[in-house]
Amino acid sequence: MYRYSLLRLARHALSDRPWPRAWRQAKPRSHYDVVIIGGGGHGLATAYYLAANHGMDRVAVVERAYIGGGNVGRNTTLVRSNYMMKGNTEFFEFSLKLWEGLSHELNFNVMLSQRGQIVLAHSPAQMDALARRGNIMRLNGIDAELLERAELRRLLPYLDYSAAARFPILGGLLQGRAGTVRHDAVAWGYARAADSLGVDIVEGCEVTGFLRDRSGVHGVETTRGRILADRVAVAVAGHSSQVAGLAGLRLPIESHLLQAFVTEPVKPFVDHVISFGPELFYICQSDKGGLVFGGHIDGFNSYTQRGQFPKVRQVAECAVALIPGMSRLKLLRHWAGIQDMTPDGGPFICRTPIRHLYLNGGWCYQGFKATPAVGWCLAATIARDEEHPLVRCYALDRFARGGESLDEYGHGHRPYRH
Amino acid sequence: MLRVHCPLCGERPYTEFRYGGDASRARPALGTSSLEAWHDYLFLFDNPKGPHREFWQHEQGCRQWLLVVRDTATNVVREVIVARNAGPGGGQGPGSR
């Protein structure tokens, strides 16, 4: 690998020698040990850990479009591990620990900024719920701190604490190690690191079918020809049902739109990641100064990648109710990502009923923060043909077994309600 | 913005409606003891990228449950009928919340 360092930076600054490509433009070979469908953050991370942790270098990532063009570049870049349910708590904390070492691991600055995330409480009942959540986190060795209103006023003076506030702010739960990551750097960093370990990253290559017989899957048909593979993993966020459908699988997944928003850049004033209690609303400020925020899904399944305007208005109302100073900011951009929604809001990382076909999907709102842990655990699951202990709770058959759903908020079994 | 043509009230913005989910799945007959049949009915989705049969309730209008065929790739609504007129195979309403 052409390692990045201060010395290299200085040399390139002084000469007009161009930087080399971060990864090769690979052509698909005829046979691989593992083919991963989907060159998003999850697929690239999986390829990297297959090579780095399990010594597998005959690995290909096939991507329909280009690296960084899917949900890895459409999220709001938040990372945190303030989960409450057994399974989620350990998994997302493992992910946050991997984030903390990722820039060194990949020799690529992913710009992790542990600025802290604060979830706000607006009623005594929400305060109790946050105290409980914080206690569960601390029992699992995760940092959590319950904040009173006075402390919040000091930390976040720009929130609406007035008597006229639509929702009074009583306190909040701070996870100091949570924060943001530069999402493009995650895609590029994993792609470059995986490529340097021999992984082929094949862009512009859409999977059109699976090669399978009674013994299981043994390859894929693509727009760039047939590729044989001993094992195939699906990591295609948003289109999981389509790709799994090619193998004859029906999944507990519906595809929904989640919108994200960026305002014009302003001077730094939002120093943390903030979540609003009355509605699902989260906001942080990017390094360029834009306020980045988002809310709920649009509410009905769609693949259009264009959000509905009433949701724009609703999210903007949340923003102004929480931070009145935002009312005159102009919205610079808003966009929608297609995300897998599941009956309980939890994901799937598992083997499937078809031998040698592995699934990673159903990530709902939480795919980006999970990226390193998904890569780590899916790689282990593929290499050993058995679920990694941290992802046993994310099995495809958990609804059939009963009593094992991961519904953090108790919304019930309809995907569009989560 | 998505607009739905209610057969009783005319074309209205989707915000007047409540989404009721996939209408293509037939509820197993009452008394079906196969857990697999109930699991598939409750938890599995075709999730098509294309025409999708789904329920909407005109909550802020006539309050009728409607059966809508909408293309999920374009959000174009192709067909709307009152759900009770859908006949066999039209699915049954998802019931109360």
Side-chain angles (χ1 to χ4, degrees):
Chain A
M1 178 159 62
Y2 189 84
R3 286 188 70 80
Y4 297 151
S5 63
L6 197 59
L7 193 64
R8 277 257 155 85
L9 192 65
R11 277 190 190 153
H12 277 276
L14 297 173
S15 77
D16 51 7
R17 199 155 57 100
W19 290 90
R21 286 188 70 94
W23 62 88
R24 296 166 291 131
Q25 266 192 316
K27 287 199 178 75
R29 281 186 267 165
S30 60
H31 184 260
Y32 290 96
D33 292 342
V34 181
V35 164
I36 296 161
I37 306 170
H42 289 193
L44 294 166
T46 305
Y48 169 72
Y49 290 114
L50 274 171
N53 292 358
H54 304 280
M56 300 177 85
D57 53 3
R58 288 160 47 84
V59 175
V61 177
V62 295
E63 164 58 42
R64 178 174 71 170
Y66 62 95
I67 297 302
N71 286 347
V72 71
R74 287 172 181 265
N75 54 72
T76 47
T77 77
L78 309 183
V79 297
R80 58 183 171 86
S81 63
N82 54 352
Y83 284 77
M84 199 166 65
M85 294 195 71
K86 189 164 172 52
N88 281 344
T89 314
E90 301 91 322
F91 180 83
F92 285 99
E93 174 60 11
F94 179 64
S95 198
L96 190 54
K97 283 187 176 141
L98 288 178
W99 282 119
E100 287 172 333
L102 198 63
S103 293
H104 288 283
E105 168 100 20
L106 300 180
N107 180 234
F108 200 110
N109 188 358
V110 299
M111 297 170 78
L112 170 68
S113 159
Q114 292 179 293
R115 58 187 71 179
Q117 189 218 14
I118 298 172
V119 185
L120 299 173
H122 304 261
S123 67
Q126 281 189 338
M127 206 59 191
D128 289 348
L130 287 186
R132 176 169 175 247
R133 179 173 291 263
N135 285 338
I136 292 174
M137 289 164 65
R138 291 174 78 131
L139 285 170
N140 282 279
I142 304 167
D143 64 309
E145 196 183 334
L146 203 61
L147 302 175
E148 298 288 336
R149 180 180 158 97
E151 291 167 287
L152 279 178
R153 283 196 89 142
R154 190 176 53 77
L155 278 175
L156 316 172
Y158 46 83
L159 301 186
D160 188 356
Y161 298 97
S162 69
R166 179 69 185 80
F167 296 99
I169 296 167
L170 298 194
L173 185 68
L174 166 70
Q175 186 186 16
R177 287 161 60 240
T180 62
V181 172
R182 185 187 175 205
H183 52 196
D184 299 318
V186 176
W188 300 334
Y190 270 121
R192 172 170 166 272
D195 174 87
S196 76
L197 295 175
V199 171
D200 281 354
I201 296 166
V202 186
E203 295 171 77
C205 179
E206 183 177 355
V207 168
T208 55
F210 288 91
L211 304 171
R212 55 182 291 211
D213 56 23
R214 277 189 188 176
S215 65
V217 162
H218 51 89
V220 288
E221 295 279 6
T222 75
T223 50
R224 296 179 66 178
R226 175 174 290 189
I227 305 173
L228 299 178
D230 298 342
R231 289 167 191 195
V232 179
V234 178
V236 293
H239 283 80
S240 296
S241 298
Q242 263 69 45
V243 175
L246 297 173
L249 287 178
R250 281 177 87 210
L251 300 179
I253 286 175
E254 262 189 354
S255 299
H256 286 257
L257 296 184
L258 183 65
Q259 300 192 53
F261 308 84
V262 171
T263 68
E264 60 188 324
V266 289
K267 292 209 168 165
F269 82 104
V270 178
D271 302 324
H272 305 78
V273 178
I274 303 167
S275 295
F276 189 36
E279 255 293 329
L280 183 61
F281 173 79
Y282 34 92
I283 186 166
C284 66
Q285 189 165 16
S286 76
D287 295 329
K288 282 189 285 189
L291 294 171
V292 182
F293 54 97
H296 267 299
I297 51 174
D298 272 12
F300 54 90
N301 46 320
S302 177
Y303 290 89
T304 54
Q305 281 188 328
R306 287 191 304 275
Q308 295 290 323
F309 195 74
K311 185 58 71 176
V312 179
R313 179 178 165 165
Q314 187 193 352
V315 173
E317 282 170 351
C318 286
V320 175
L322 185 63
I323 308 176
M326 282 179 67
S327 65
R328 295 195 177 183
L329 282 181
K330 292 187 181 73
L331 204 59
L332 202 62
R333 287 182 290 132
H334 76 104
W335 64 93
I338 309 170
Q339 71 180 13
D340 292 351
M341 294 299 294
T342 63
D344 62 352
F348 305 108
I349 305 178
C350 51
R351 291 173 288 177
T352 66
I354 301 169
R355 200 160 155 68
H356 297 146
L357 181 66
Y358 305 84
L359 174 70
N360 165 57
W363 277 99
C364 302
Y365 298 82
Q366 50 204 354
F368 178 69
K369 65 184 72 68
T371 303
V374 167
W376 186 286
C377 297
L378 181 59
T381 303
I382 296 168
R384 298 178 193 140
D385 195 28
E386 186 188 9
E387 280 78 8
H388 185 281
L390 276 176
V391 299
R392 281 186 195 142
C393 53
Y394 299 145
L396 197 52
D397 62 353
R398 64 175 177 265
F399 307 114
R401 289 204 307 268
E404 296 176 23
S405 87
L406 290 160
D407 193 347
E408 286 261 340
Y409 297 97
H411 286 314
H413 74 280
R414 296 186 189 281
Y416 60 88
R417 288 228 192 284
H418 284 278
Chain B
M1 178 163 55
L2 178 65
R3 294 175 77 85
V4 178
H5 193 101
C6 173
L8 303 172
C9 310
E11 192 179 85
R12 297 299 173 89
Y14 85 98
T15 46
E16 287 189 8
F17 297 79
R18 164 151 78 105
Y19 186 55
D22 189 353
S24 64
R25 300 172 299 165
R27 187 193 294 267
L30 211 59
T32 302
S33 59
S34 156
L35 280 181
E36 197 184 342
W38 286 106
H39 168 268
D40 292 359
Y41 167 68
L42 282 172
F43 296 116
L44 297 188
F45 303 90
D46 288 331
N47 193 17
K49 188 174 187 173
H52 184 246
R53 290 164 68 83
E54 59 198 22
F55 290 117
W56 290 82
Q57 185 190 18
H58 197 180
E59 204 171 28
Q60 292 170 34
C62 58
R63 296 195 64 78
Q64 288 295 309
W65 278 99
L66 307 176
L67 193 133
V68 174
V69 179
R70 175 179 57 93
D71 192 321
T72 60
T74 59
N75 279 349
V76 173
V77 174
R78 296 193 180 167
E79 194 186 329
V80 186
I81 55 172
V82 177
R84 70 171 64 164
N85 299 335
Q92 295 163 39
S96 56
R97 257 188 249 238

